[in-house]
Amino acid sequence: MRLPIHPPLPGQNSPSQVEVVQHNVRHQGFMKFSVMTLRHERFAGGMTPVIERDICHRGYAVAIVLYDPQADMLVMVEQFRIGAFAAGVNPWMLEFVAGMVKPGEDPAEVAIREAAEEAGCMPRDVRRVYTMMPSPGGCTEVVEIFFGVVDSTGVGGIHGLEDEVEDIRVHLVPAETAIALLDGDRVPSGFTLLGLSWFARHRDRMRADYGVV
């Protein structure tokens, strides 16, 4: 997926020229790493000298905010994250359901599938709320964040695909608790932080839309 090219601010023009001199793959595994040498246009005009930049090719992912408006509960998952462990952060993170999108797959359908696999629930009225890049300074990953309504009755337990060595614990988190975690700087996962920020601003409207006063 490619994000649409918009100026940073409405009515603002930005540089647009990039000249790639060389692009070499250095590692191909679960993620691909490459080195690109290039020049790009400067704000004041002209081009930069040739520079070298490392790139992590992370791919395209989705995440989904799963909300039960009747119970005022969010369905969230906890699992081990290697990046957090390597950074010295608690690697068992509370997050929204997320997963990778393969070429040709519909992102909304992937979000629904991941909700079933990771949390044992089936969202309805699924809608896209944001598209974001977690680390555009050196990573190609694009994450599309969705919202979906669920019935949280009976949701919980341990989930995940055994052949992918997934070990995922499902939590029902009261909306007020989740927002308090957000405000208390207790949500380090980027897509979860953004999804919770959106949810906190739109929660009342979501409840009204589904007949909860």
Side-chain angles (χ1 to χ4, degrees), residues 142-186:
V142 174
V143 181
E144 199 160 354
I145 300 176
F146 291 87
F147 169 84
V149 174
V150 296
D151 179 354
S152 63
T153 305
V155 171
I158 309 298
H159 294 262
L161 298 178
E162 190 63 36
D163 60 349
E164 295 183 11
V165 199
E166 292 182 327
D167 184 43
I168 300 169
R169 180 162 60 176
V170 178
H171 295 277
L172 292 181
V173 184
E176 291 289 351
T177 299
I179 294 169
L181 290 173
L182 171 70
D183 291 337
D185 193 23
R186 298 279 301 278

Side-chain angles (χ1 to χ4, degrees), residues 6-181:
H6 299 303
L9 290 172
Q12 173 181 296
N13 292 321
S14 298
S16 60
Q17 299 302 310
V18 180
E19 296 178 1
V20 177
V21 177
Q22 198 169 28
H23 190 191
N24 297 315
V25 175
R26 295 294 177 83
H27 172 77
Q28 178 75 64
F30 181 72
M31 288 180 281
K32 182 173 75 174
F33 295 87
S34 67
V35 176
M36 183 180 291
T37 54
L38 58 95
R39 303 192 309 154
H40 66 77
E41 188 178 358
R42 293 181 182 271
F43 289 111
M47 302 292 285
T48 65
V50 173
I51 56 178
E52 184 176 276
R53 294 291 182 265
D54 295 336
I55 306 168
C56 170
H57 298 263
R58 185 70 175 91
Y60 179 33
V62 294
I64 184 166
V65 180
L66 299 171
Y67 179 54
D68 182 339
Q70 302 299 323
D72 201 21
M73 290 279 186
L74 287 163
V75 178
M76 304 184 73
V77 295
E78 179 186 358
Q79 60 186 311
F80 177 84
R81 291 302 200 185
I82 186 62
F85 176 73
V89 176
N90 181 3
W92 278 271
M93 288 196 164
L94 184 68
E95 298 179 318
F96 289 127
V97 165
M100 302 303 296
V101 179
K102 297 177 182 177
E105 289 188 313
D106 177 80
E109 291 180 1
V110 174
I112 293 169
R113 182 186 71 212
E114 293 293 331
E117 291 178 358
E118 294 190 359
C121 57
M122 186 61 63
R124 66 182 193 278
D125 298 342
V126 173
R127 68 193 79 172
R128 186 183 64 82
V129 297
Y130 283 131
T131 303
M132 55 93 76
M133 293 191 74
S135 187
C139 184
T140 65
E141 183 176 29
V142 174
V143 181
E144 199 160 354
I145 300 176
F146 291 87
F147 169 84
V149 174
V150 296
D151 179 354
S152 63
T153 305
V155 171
I158 309 298
H159 294 262
L161 298 178
E162 190 63 36
D163 60 349
E164 295 183 11
V165 199
E166 292 182 327
D167 184 43
I168 300 169
R169 180 162 60 176
V170 178
H171 295 277
L172 292 181
V173 184
E176 291 289 351
T177 299
I179 294 169
L181 290 173

